[in-house]
Amino acid sequence: MEIIQLEFVNERDLYLAYMPFLKSGGLFIRTSEPIDLGTEFKLLISLPDSLEESEVEGKVVWITPIGSQHGTPAGIGIGFVEDPENVKIQIEKSITR
């Protein structure tokens, strides 16, 4: 399982990356690398105003390929699978401030 480190320095960037329509939560990550649906990742996430990073396991549930319509950035959506630190709740509290 690959590891991705994400650091969100402000609530705006976190809001833009968060995928609230996923039941367990998830994050969109810009990338031009080809990654398959179902690929599993361990996310190490630093939230705004957090002193420590949180760990979430997830898998790719969304792919936006290069050259998508309307200038949408290429990337992947990673849905949370294992969220022992309740990162989803932490994100939602942070972006609703």
Side-chain angles (χ1 to χ4, degrees):
M1 182 179 308
E2 291 187 52
I3 296 173
I4 297 177
Q5 286 191 288
L6 301 169
E7 182 177 0
F8 296 98
V9 293
N10 59 52
E11 285 83 7
R12 182 182 184 280
D13 291 342
L14 182 59
Y15 175 80
L16 293 173
Y18 185 57
M19 301 177 75
F21 54 86
L22 297 176
K23 182 179 179 181
S24 299
L27 293 168
F28 181 79
I29 300 168
R30 290 182 181 209
T31 183
S32 58
E33 292 190 31
I35 298 173
D36 295 326
L37 281 174
T39 302
E40 296 181 349
F41 288 96
K42 181 181 290 187
L43 303 177
L44 301 176
I45 304 169
S46 295
L47 298 174
D49 301 326
S50 179
L51 300 175
E52 297 180 15
E53 60 187 14
S54 299
E55 186 176 305
V56 176
E57 291 184 18
K59 68 179 179 179
V60 177
V61 296
W62 181 281
I63 298 174
T64 303
I66 296 173
S68 293
Q69 296 179 345
H70 310 295
T72 304
I76 56 172
I78 297 181
F80 298 162
V81 176
E82 295 287 327
D83 185 10
E85 299 178 44
N86 295 313
V87 173
K88 176 184 188 271
I89 293 170
Q90 293 176 47
I91 291 172
E92 290 174 347
K93 284 181 181 177
S94 181
I95 62 177
T96 56
R97 286 187 212 156

